[in-house]
């Protein structure tokens, strides 16, 4: 018979690539760890780990078993968290997964509000470069709730949060930019303007692009394809936060979520034409427990899809008019939808 402890041993060995390091993290002796892994292998009927001279890697059978082991551990943790949360969110841990751009722009104020309301509940944040990586992690049971772009064909509960807006970032001395009526010194403040920039007008430019594994690379390529061109590349960055800074430094235009542009940013921020948007949601594998539901409810109330200030009106909360067309205020939180 397999046990959760054996699953924990297997997952830790795979994640560390070492029996020695796994034993240290688990506070057990290496012989005890090896014994339990062999017992698990006997229970499933095959070898799960290949012991190499300087590393340990899962066998094909190990790779097949691993997602189920992770899911079992996550289910056990949710059971524990649900029991604690039923007593008034008195403790526990919430495992949250998201993509880099969302963790940078949307989550910090939400997590700050959650921490103030529930300081005894720990948050474990897992970040992924691409929407498909996020979906795969959720399928494998690596988190309780995911926050990000709408996953295709997801069969579990989904809570709509609103529509995320993208903006173009250009250097402050971009030709014609400072001469707009509401330009850098106009009523919108430094570097902001109401006048949209046709994407097609940037067809001949080399862009600040994203690394191929970053989901924002797909967003930029799709937006430019709709405008009738393929973007040239001046530089590719794996760091979402670096894109607006590189664009402001003059390397090329960048397309970024509006909410990641930092306060006091000295680049030129313009809306693209046609607009570039994507819906954001929170989703789970099964009906969410009390702890997860409480977090998603706070997320839906506090998430800011646009930055503070004139460009974002009231900050673009999901319940406000700037939150896009998802209409999250009308979606039930008990079990999502």
């Amino acid at each position: 018979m397999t046990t959760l402890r054996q699953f924990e041993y297997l997952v830790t060995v795979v994640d560390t690539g070492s029996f020695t390091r796994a034993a240290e993290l688990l506070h057990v002796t290496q012989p005890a760890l090896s014994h339990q892994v062999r017992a698990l292998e006997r229970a499933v009927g095959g070898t799960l780990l290949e012991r190499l001279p300087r590393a340990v890697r899962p066998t094909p059978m190990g790779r097949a078993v691993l997602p189920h082991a992770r899911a079992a551990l996550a289910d056990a943790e949710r059971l524990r968290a649900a029991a604690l949360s039923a007593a008034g969110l008195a403790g526990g841990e919430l495992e949250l997964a998201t993509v880099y751009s969302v963790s940078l722009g949307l989550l910090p104020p939400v997590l700050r509000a959650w921490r103030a309301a529930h300081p005894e509940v720990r948050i474990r944040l897992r970040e992924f470069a691409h929407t498909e990586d996020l979906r795969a992690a959720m399928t494998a049971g690596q988190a309780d709730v995911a926050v990000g772009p709408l996953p295709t064909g997801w069969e579990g509960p989904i809570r709509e949060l609103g529509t995320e807006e993208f903006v173009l970032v250009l250097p402050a001395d971009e030709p014609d930019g400072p001469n707009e009526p509401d330009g850098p010194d106009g009523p919108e403040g430094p570097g902001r303007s109401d006048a949209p920039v046709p994407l097609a007008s940037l067809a001949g430019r080399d862009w600040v692009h994203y690394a191929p594994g970053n989901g924002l690379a797909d967003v930029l390529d799709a937006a430019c394809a709709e405008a009738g061109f393929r973007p040239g590349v001046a530089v590719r960055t794996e760091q979402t936060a670096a894109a607006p800074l590189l664009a402001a430094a003059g390397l090329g235009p960048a397309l970024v979520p509006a909410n990641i542009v930092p306060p006091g940013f000295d680049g030129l921020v313009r809306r693209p034409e046609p607009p570039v948007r994507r819906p954001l949601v929170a989703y789970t594998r099964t009906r969410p427990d009390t702890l997860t539901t409480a977090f998603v409810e706070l997320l839906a109330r506090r998430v800011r899809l646009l930055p503070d200030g004139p460009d974002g009106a009231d900050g673009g909360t999901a319940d406000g008019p700037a939150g896009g067309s998802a209409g999250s205020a009308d979606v039930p939180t008990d079990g999502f939808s």
Side-chain angles (χ1 to χ4, degrees), residues 165-184 188-199 201-202 207 253-258 261 265 267-276 311:
E165 296 275 352
F166 283 75
V167 294
L168 289 166
V169 178
L170 302 158
D173 59 357
E174 178 77 7
D176 299 329
N179 297 323
E180 296 291 342
D182 289 334
E188 290 199 5
R192 299 189 182 274
S193 171
D194 275 334
V197 173
L199 275 175
S201 69
L202 302 173
W207 288 67
L255 184 69
V256 305
V261 179
F265 183 69
L268 187 66
V269 180
R270 304 285 288 273
R271 292 181 173 88
E273 181 61 44
V276 179
D311 274 351

Side-chain angles (χ1 to χ4, degrees), residues 120 238 296:
E120 67 286 349
E238 295 182 358
V296 173

Side-chain angles (χ1 to χ4, degrees), residues 90-185:
E93 181 177 79
L94 180 69
E95 294 190 333
L96 171 63
T98 190
V99 290
Y100 291 147
S101 60
V102 170
S103 68
L104 177 66
L106 298 183
L107 286 184
V110 175
L111 294 178
R112 182 173 62 247
W114 175 264
R115 180 69 176 173
H118 306 291
E120 67 286 349
V121 178
R122 300 184 303 275
I123 294 286
R124 179 180 295 181
L125 180 63
R126 300 181 185 272
E127 300 167 275
F128 298 90
H130 199 283
T131 302
E132 290 304 314
D133 298 331
L134 176 60
R135 178 193 170 106
M138 279 298 293
T139 301
Q142 295 182 28
D144 302 311
V145 59
V147 180
L150 180 67
T152 56
W154 187 256
E155 296 181 355
I158 294 176
R159 172 69 187 267
E160 297 174 337
L161 300 175
T163 302
E164 183 178 42
E165 296 275 352
F166 283 75
V167 294
L168 289 166
V169 178
L170 302 158
D173 59 357
E174 178 77 7
D176 299 329
N179 297 323
E180 296 291 342
D182 289 334
D185 299 319

Side-chain angles (χ1 to χ4, degrees), residues 45-335:
T47 302
L48 300 177
L49 297 173
E50 180 183 3
R51 294 153 177 84
L52 302 173
R54 294 184 177 274
V56 179
R57 66 186 297 271
T59 64
M61 179 180 287
R63 290 193 294 273
V65 167
L66 196 61
H68 300 284
R70 293 189 191 277
L73 292 172
D75 285 340
E77 181 60 29
R78 282 199 304 277
L79 185 150
R80 173 178 171 273
L84 291 170
S85 64
L89 299 176
E93 181 177 79
L94 180 69
E95 294 190 333
L96 171 63
T98 190
V99 290
Y100 291 147
S101 60
V102 170
S103 68
L104 177 66
L106 298 183
L107 286 184
V110 175
L111 294 178
R112 182 173 62 247
W114 175 264
R115 180 69 176 173
H118 306 291
E120 67 286 349
V121 178
R122 300 184 303 275
I123 294 286
R124 179 180 295 181
L125 180 63
R126 300 181 185 272
E127 300 167 275
F128 298 90
H130 199 283
T131 302
E132 290 304 314
D133 298 331
L134 176 60
R135 178 193 170 106
M138 279 298 293
T139 301
Q142 295 182 28
D144 302 311
V145 59
V147 180
L150 180 67
T152 56
W154 187 256
E155 296 181 355
I158 294 176
R159 172 69 187 267
E160 297 174 337
L161 300 175
T163 302
E164 183 178 42
E165 296 275 352
F166 283 75
V167 294
L168 289 166
V169 178
L170 302 158
D173 59 357
E174 178 77 7
D176 299 329
N179 297 323
E180 296 291 342
D182 289 334
D185 299 319
E188 290 199 5
R192 299 189 182 274
S193 171
D194 275 334
V197 173
L199 275 175
S201 69
L202 302 173
R205 302 283 291 273
D206 287 336
W207 288 67
V208 175
H209 214 312
Y210 301 93
N214 189 313
L216 295 184
D218 297 343
V219 174
L220 174 57
D221 287 340
C224 293
E226 183 179 350
F229 69 96
R230 181 176 180 177
V233 178
V235 62
R236 287 187 182 270
T237 178
E238 295 182 358
Q239 302 296 326
T240 303
L245 302 179
L246 293 171
L251 275 75
L255 184 69
V256 305
N259 51 69
I260 77 163
V261 179
F265 183 69
D266 59 2
L268 187 66
V269 180
R270 304 285 288 273
R271 292 181 173 88
E273 181 61 44
V276 179
R277 304 184 176 102
R278 65 176 178 179
L280 294 180
V281 300
Y283 59 98
T284 59
R285 288 179 301 280
T286 58
R287 183 181 180 88
D289 61 22
T290 305
L291 184 62
T292 304
T293 298
F295 177 80
V296 173
E297 171 64 14
L298 183 142
L299 173 68
R301 292 197 313 267
R302 300 296 296 267
V303 68
R304 293 183 177 273
L305 298 170
L306 293 173
D308 292 324
D311 274 351
D314 63 355
T317 60
D319 288 339
S325 59
S328 63
D330 298 326
V331 181
T333 58
D334 185 10

